[in-house]
Every structure is written in C-alpha cells, then in structure tokens.
Amino acid sequence: MKVYNTNSGLLIAHENEFYLLENENWDTFINDDGILQNTLAKLNNGNRIKDPSSILKSEIKPPVESQEIWASGVTYYNSKLGREEESKETGGSDFYARVYEAERPELFFKSTGYRTVGHGGKVRIRKDSTWNVPEPELTLVITSSGKIVGYTIGNDMSSRSIEGENPLYLPQAKTYDGCAAIGPCVLLTDSPLLRTTKIRLKIDREGRTVFSDEIGVDQIKRNLGDIVEYLYRECSFPYGSLLMTGTGIVPSNDFTLKRDDEIHITIDGIGTLYNTVA
Ligand code: DO4
Ligand code: MG
C-alpha cells in the first residue's frame, strides 16, 4: 500500500485501486503502529476514486509535517571512500574510516518539514558552497515507539566543499533551506524491503543525462533496526520521525550540481522522486 500526501487529502494506492481520505491529519495518520490495518479499514467504495491523475498532477506534498528528519552517514563503502577523498587534504579523512567500522553509527539531524520539498519541488544549493551533490537515500518512516512502518525516498542534499573543509562543518553542509527532498509517497508495509531492491540516481542537464548510477540496498553495511535503535536511545519523537539511511552513490570529484539540473531518484517498489535545482 502507498500513501501520497496531497493538497486534496491522503491518496491511498492499494491493489490497483485509489482511495482519497479527505479528513486525515498527517501527523496522526503516520504515527500509528497499526497503520496498515487501520488504513485498510478506512478504504471503502465511498472514498474510492477512478482517476487520481488530476490529484497527482497538482502539488504532491512531502510526506512529512511535524516529524524531524534525521540521517545516518557512511553506511556504504562508496560514501566512506568519497568522504575520505574530499577531506584528505584537511586531515579529516580518518574519521570516516573509523565511523564506517564503529559499532555506533553516524547520526545527524538533517531537516524539518519546512526546510524540505516534495516530489516536483526545487531543492537548493547553498550560495557559499562550490561543490554540491544530491544523495539518494532509502528513508525510513518510524513511529514514536520506534517501529518502522514505511519506506520513502530521500535526497540528502550536501555541500562537499563545506564538509570537506572540516567535518565539524557538517551541520552547515547538510542543513539549510531546501536541503532535502522526500517523496513521492510512503510505501506502508510490515515487511522489510527485498534485498534485491535498487536505488537509482539520474541527473539531467539541458536535456542530456550528465550522471547516472545505481546501488543495491544490500550494500548497506548496517542493520536498519540497529540504526533506529541508536536514534531512539536518548531522543523521543512525539510525531514519529524520518531517517535517511545514507548514500551509496557518490559522483566523481569533478561533478557538481548546477541550477536547473533535474534529479531523478528511483527506488524499486516505491517510485521516483523528481526535483529540480533552484
Ligand atoms: O559523514 C558525513 C555525511 C555522510 C552521509 O550523508 C552519507 O553517507 O550519506
Ligand atoms: Mg547522506
């Protein structure tokens, strides 16, 4: 089952049918350990709609309102390598190798709903940054109790020049207005994602593809439940949370995003998150 947070209400896609739940509050709806069964119980002929295209064409909101968005880092070997490279001249590279091997994961605060755009929105690059990349990340949707109730797609927009200058600048490299995109929907499921699931990134510029790559979620070094356990150890989340699980796709060092670039991030079973660069 998939849920889209739209201007018309919550659009549910289930077994080739679409349903519109008009009077739901996102924060209450998503923070529910029994969300699958409770949503199934709400679907009936009265809220079934034949053609969702006009709803999906109007702005799809990001599937986040009062939830905090956190992120884990250096969870894939490629991320460790890329970051060692970008910070080797400034002496910060050892930290990435250490956190890749450590029991405690890297976790950082990424964004709020109001700094985040949805499918079709514009992500931003910082004006004081010279080297910028999208990070396509499987994103967990977690309730207050720490239960993973769904999966969505996240873009952890990152300034490599600022992070590379000094790892202590990470919050500035990662968190700013328009620093994240989430969407287009949440896949609600009680089962883990298939190990064969792929994450794909494609970047188009002036009608030409300037970057594309893919990675399997089976390449992630950590157990997703363990990362959630660390996040919830000493933080409570009254509205639940979203957790980006790290990037395994790192463009080569000569690549930087430009204004109007089109970013497509696809995760099997969830969909494609599309954004342009402001
Ligand atoms: O260590 C810095 C950030 C890592 C990150 O965002 C990632 O690996 O995806
Ligand atoms: Mg990241």
Side-chain angles (χ1 to χ4, degrees):
M1 180 188 294
K2 291 181 186 174
V3 55
Y4 296 82
N5 190 11
T6 80
N7 285 333
S8 315
L10 302 188
L11 181 71
I12 310 289
H14 178 58
E15 294 182 343
N16 300 321
E17 301 283 359
F18 287 89
Y19 304 81
L20 187 63
L21 305 179
E22 284 173 298
N23 299 313
E24 293 286 336
N25 170 286
W26 178 262
D27 288 342
T28 316
F29 173 84
I30 203 67
N31 189 22
D32 176 7
D33 287 353
I35 193 167
L36 256 187
Q37 290 66 32
N38 292 337
T39 307
L40 271 178
K42 289 175 193 161
L43 308 184
N44 56 52
N45 279 336
N47 50 38
R48 187 159 64 200
I49 52 167
K50 283 213 172 76
D51 182 7
S53 54
S54 62
I55 296 174
L56 289 171
K57 261 186 223 142
S58 74
E59 199 198 340
I60 304 179
K61 298 196 282 184
V64 54
E65 284 181 13
S66 305
Q67 294 73 35
E68 292 177 10
I69 302 171
W70 283 67
S72 188
V74 199
T75 49
Y76 291 82
Y77 190 64
N78 288 345
S79 178
K80 168 189 164 309
L81 282 188
R83 289 181 151 94
E84 280 176 333
E85 180 72 22
E86 86 192 2
S87 61
K88 72 169 183 253
E89 278 179 22
T90 54
S93 64
D94 193 35
F95 289 100
Y96 296 99
R98 286 199 213 176
V99 83
Y100 183 72
E101 298 298 342
E103 189 182 330
R104 182 187 291 274
E106 178 195 3
L107 283 165
F108 58 93
F109 179 78
K110 172 63 188 174
S111 191
T112 52
Y114 59 84
R115 292 213 172 91
T116 300
V117 301
H119 178 68
K122 286 182 185 292
V123 287
R124 290 189 58 251
I125 52 184
R126 289 182 64 117
K127 292 197 221 35
D128 56 0
S129 168
T130 54
W131 185 15
N132 302 282
V133 289
E135 294 190 351
E137 306 193 8
L138 173 67
T139 300
L140 311 178
V141 179
I142 313 163
T143 63
S144 293
S145 73
K147 179 173 179 189
I148 300 172
V149 288
Y151 301 90
T152 184
I153 304 172
N155 177 356
D156 170 21
M157 288 286 288
S158 299
S159 163
R160 295 192 69 184
S161 50
I162 295 176
E163 185 186 338
E165 192 178 332
N166 188 323
L168 294 180
Y169 293 152
L170 189 76
Q172 295 175 73
K174 294 291 191 176
T175 305
Y176 53 89
D177 292 341
C179 66
I182 301 272
C185 62
V186 175
L187 172 70
L188 297 174
T189 172
D190 275 341
S191 322
L193 283 189
L194 293 175
R195 283 183 60 75
T196 51
T197 301
K198 296 272 186 291
I199 302 175
R200 296 184 183 82
L201 170 65
K202 179 164 83 79
I203 304 170
D204 293 339
R205 183 174 296 158
E206 292 164 1
R208 217 166 46 85
T209 298
V210 290
F211 179 83
S212 72
D213 202 357
E214 66 173 45
I215 186 94
V217 297
D218 59 346
Q219 296 303 303
I220 193 163
K221 182 158 191 277
R222 294 184 182 269
N223 173 285
L224 300 181
D226 291 347
I227 311 177
V228 175
E229 193 274 317
Y230 267 97
L231 178 63
Y232 275 60
R233 270 190 188 183
E234 290 291 339
C235 285
S236 50
F237 295 95
Y239 304 100
S241 66
L242 278 79
L243 175 59
M244 295 180 173
T245 58
T247 188
I249 300 180
V250 182
S252 60
N253 293 357
D254 56 357
F255 179 88
T256 188
L257 281 173
K258 293 199 171 138
R259 195 191 180 113
D260 295 331
D261 279 357
E262 297 179 86
I263 304 168
H264 307 251
I265 304 174
T266 302
I267 301 186
D268 296 336
I270 305 176
T272 298
L273 172 64
Y274 169 80
N275 298 100
T276 51
V277 179

mmCIF file of all heavy atoms in Angstrom, residues 8 65 74 89 95 118 146 167 194 199 236 260 273:
data_model
loop_
_atom_site.group_PDB
_atom_site.id
_atom_site.type_symbol
_atom_site.label_atom_id
_atom_site.label_comp_id
_atom_site.label_asym_id
_atom_site.label_seq_id
_atom_site.Cartn_x
_atom_site.Cartn_y
_atom_site.Cartn_z
ATOM 1 N N SER A 8 -5.269 17.582 -1.821
ATOM 2 C CA SER A 8 -6.686 17.188 -1.709
ATOM 3 C C SER A 8 -6.952 16.239 -0.543
ATOM 4 O O SER A 8 -8.105 15.917 -0.267
ATOM 5 C CB SER A 8 -7.143 16.476 -2.985
ATOM 6 O OG SER A 8 -6.712 17.153 -4.116
ATOM 7 N N GLU A 65 5.359 16.333 8.111
ATOM 8 C CA GLU A 65 4.846 17.613 8.620
ATOM 9 C C GLU A 65 5.593 17.970 9.899
ATOM 10 O O GLU A 65 6.598 18.654 9.833
ATOM 11 C CB GLU A 65 3.313 17.579 8.727
ATOM 12 C CG GLU A 65 2.755 17.734 7.293
ATOM 13 C CD GLU A 65 1.260 17.756 7.113
ATOM 14 O OE1 GLU A 65 0.503 17.896 8.090
ATOM 15 O OE2 GLU A 65 0.826 17.630 5.944
ATOM 16 N N VAL A 74 27.872 7.406 6.076
ATOM 17 C CA VAL A 74 28.982 6.473 5.895
ATOM 18 C C VAL A 74 28.500 5.033 6.162
ATOM 19 O O VAL A 74 29.158 4.251 6.854
ATOM 20 C CB VAL A 74 30.205 6.865 6.768
ATOM 21 C CG1 VAL A 74 31.473 6.211 6.238
ATOM 22 C CG2 VAL A 74 30.418 8.372 6.793
ATOM 23 N N GLU A 89 43.000 16.363 2.280
ATOM 24 C CA GLU A 89 43.951 17.470 2.384
ATOM 25 C C GLU A 89 43.817 18.233 3.692
ATOM 26 O O GLU A 89 44.766 18.841 4.169
ATOM 27 C CB GLU A 89 43.749 18.433 1.216
ATOM 28 C CG GLU A 89 44.468 17.931 -0.008
ATOM 29 C CD GLU A 89 44.287 18.815 -1.195
ATOM 30 O OE1 GLU A 89 43.969 20.002 -1.024
ATOM 31 O OE2 GLU A 89 44.464 18.277 -2.299
ATOM 32 N N PHE A 95 38.326 10.063 10.239
ATOM 33 C CA PHE A 95 37.062 9.935 10.970
ATOM 34 C C PHE A 95 36.049 9.090 10.202
ATOM 35 O O PHE A 95 35.237 8.386 10.792
ATOM 36 C CB PHE A 95 36.461 11.321 11.260
ATOM 37 C CG PHE A 95 37.238 12.066 12.296
ATOM 38 C CD1 PHE A 95 38.149 13.049 11.947
ATOM 39 C CD2 PHE A 95 37.066 11.758 13.638
ATOM 40 C CE1 PHE A 95 38.874 13.716 12.908
ATOM 41 C CE2 PHE A 95 37.790 12.422 14.620
ATOM 42 C CZ PHE A 95 38.700 13.405 14.256
ATOM 43 N N GLY A 118 8.810 18.435 -1.604
ATOM 44 C CA GLY A 118 8.261 17.151 -2.037
ATOM 45 C C GLY A 118 8.581 16.889 -3.496
ATOM 46 O O GLY A 118 9.391 17.597 -4.123
ATOM 47 N N GLY A 146 9.218 3.693 17.742
ATOM 48 C CA GLY A 146 10.420 3.156 17.104
ATOM 49 C C GLY A 146 10.121 2.080 16.071
ATOM 50 O O GLY A 146 11.028 1.421 15.585
ATOM 51 N N PRO A 167 35.179 18.424 8.932
ATOM 52 C CA PRO A 167 33.991 17.634 9.281
ATOM 53 C C PRO A 167 33.102 18.308 10.329
ATOM 54 O O PRO A 167 31.915 18.014 10.421
ATOM 55 C CB PRO A 167 34.569 16.320 9.828
ATOM 56 C CG PRO A 167 35.953 16.250 9.314
ATOM 57 C CD PRO A 167 36.428 17.664 9.124
ATOM 58 N N LEU A 194 12.816 -5.929 -0.138
ATOM 59 C CA LEU A 194 13.567 -7.038 -0.736
ATOM 60 C C LEU A 194 15.047 -6.686 -0.805
ATOM 61 O O LEU A 194 15.408 -5.532 -1.096
ATOM 62 C CB LEU A 194 13.075 -7.283 -2.171
ATOM 63 C CG LEU A 194 11.653 -7.796 -2.333
ATOM 64 C CD1 LEU A 194 11.287 -7.875 -3.811
ATOM 65 C CD2 LEU A 194 11.529 -9.165 -1.656
ATOM 66 N N ILE A 199 18.563 1.328 -5.712
ATOM 67 C CA ILE A 199 18.379 2.786 -5.666
ATOM 68 C C ILE A 199 19.076 3.336 -6.905
ATOM 69 O O ILE A 199 20.248 2.994 -7.156
ATOM 70 C CB ILE A 199 19.041 3.385 -4.397
ATOM 71 C CG1 ILE A 199 18.452 2.751 -3.130
ATOM 72 C CG2 ILE A 199 18.903 4.903 -4.377
ATOM 73 C CD1 ILE A 199 19.130 3.189 -1.828
ATOM 74 N N SER A 236 13.238 11.381 22.083
ATOM 75 C CA SER A 236 11.840 10.976 21.875
ATOM 76 C C SER A 236 11.332 11.737 20.655
ATOM 77 O O SER A 236 11.807 12.833 20.329
ATOM 78 C CB SER A 236 11.002 11.294 23.106
ATOM 79 O OG SER A 236 11.231 12.628 23.496
ATOM 80 N N ASP A 260 18.908 24.387 -12.229
ATOM 81 C CA ASP A 260 18.007 23.766 -13.223
ATOM 82 C C ASP A 260 18.318 22.305 -13.518
ATOM 83 O O ASP A 260 17.648 21.702 -14.358
ATOM 84 C CB ASP A 260 17.940 24.560 -14.542
ATOM 85 C CG ASP A 260 17.317 25.926 -14.340
ATOM 86 O OD1 ASP A 260 16.486 26.060 -13.418
ATOM 87 O OD2 ASP A 260 17.678 26.864 -15.076
ATOM 88 N N LEU A 273 11.363 9.943 -7.189
ATOM 89 C CA LEU A 273 11.307 11.298 -6.630
ATOM 90 C C LEU A 273 12.002 12.210 -7.634
ATOM 91 O O LEU A 273 13.162 11.984 -7.980
ATOM 92 C CB LEU A 273 12.044 11.326 -5.284
ATOM 93 C CG LEU A 273 12.266 12.685 -4.618
ATOM 94 C CD1 LEU A 273 10.939 13.341 -4.237
ATOM 95 C CD2 LEU A 273 13.161 12.537 -3.383
#
